[in-house]
Amino acid sequence: MDIGGMVGPQPEVIRLRYAGRCRCGESVAAGERAGYVRSERRVVCLHCLADRQAGRADLGALAAEVVVPPTPGVAGGAARREYERRVAAREAELATRSRLGRWWASLGTEPQSTRAWALGALGEERVAACLHAVSDSGVLALHDRRVPGRRSNIDHIAVGPAGIFVIDAKRYENAEVRMRRVGGLFTPRRDELLVRGRVRTALVEGLARQVDAVRTVLEAGTLGSMPVTPVLCFIDGRFPLFTKQFRLGETAVVGPRGLADLVTGPGPLGEEQRLAVYCLLGERLRSMT
């Protein structure tokens, strides 16, 4: 149908899934009604749409392109798929055994190496819930993103006012998490991460490739320099009294409460910048699902 006697792309009035901005300057919030041209992914506010219908304005001059954010991904998706693959493989192996062998195996518990994947998926789901809970503070989150050229993934990426946070979820049930400074008079001083009393500093080092992947995407874009913080989030960890987080070099080590405080902290990134970063990372770092 030709609206207002004018030819060209015709908008339909819908409720927007994502916020947009008309070139006239009026913002249209997610859930509000606006004109939308699907072929061009363009939105126009109802005031400008009314002007167009009355023949007073041209949609092409007034409509601004809608930025349609990528889907956030499924937290824990890769870990849960690996768990299901291992369960299926074990069931297939048991099916080849005798009835007595299957009965005997059924009395045993699930292998720890298999159960660890299910626990990991639950940990990632809890981190995602924590990030979702602070979305009203302007935090945008991506989950389970593929590292280009590798089989590994990034558990979570949060984009907040203070910058970008690359988050690796860890679940050590009821484990004490603390930092120890070693070295001194004759050796260089350094910080170590202790989990259940064992040195786990390698967990910090394992984040480096994930952070490099994010920084590579940002540097290839046109958004300029952005602060990127690696984060280890221990879901069920026990931190020292009155400690929500501590740092080992660039890496923040937190629990759920410390994570919420970290990603909602003040910083230089405005709403439009955060959305642009979220879209860039979501498009270049594909979801594992």
Side-chain angles (χ1 to χ4, degrees), residues 20-28 43-45 48 62-64:
R21 184 182 297 275
C22 182
R23 194 162 294 168
C24 72
E26 180 168 340
S27 296
V28 184
V43 69
V44 62
C45 71
C48 292
L62 289 170

Side-chain angles (χ1 to χ4, degrees), residues 40-99:
E40 299 180 8
R41 300 172 71 187
R42 291 179 174 269
V43 69
V44 62
C45 71
L46 293 182
H47 297 298
C48 292
L49 183 61
D51 283 342
R52 172 180 165 81
Q53 292 170 334
R56 295 191 295 265
D58 175 55
L59 178 64
L62 289 170
E65 184 173 320
V66 179
V67 177
V68 180
T71 56
V74 180
R80 193 160 296 283
R81 284 195 305 277
E82 178 61 20
Y83 169 73
E84 292 170 353
R85 186 193 68 79
R86 288 172 177 251
V87 169
R90 185 167 185 262
E91 290 176 350
E93 191 274 330
L94 290 178
T96 65
R97 299 185 185 182
S98 65
R99 181 179 300 176

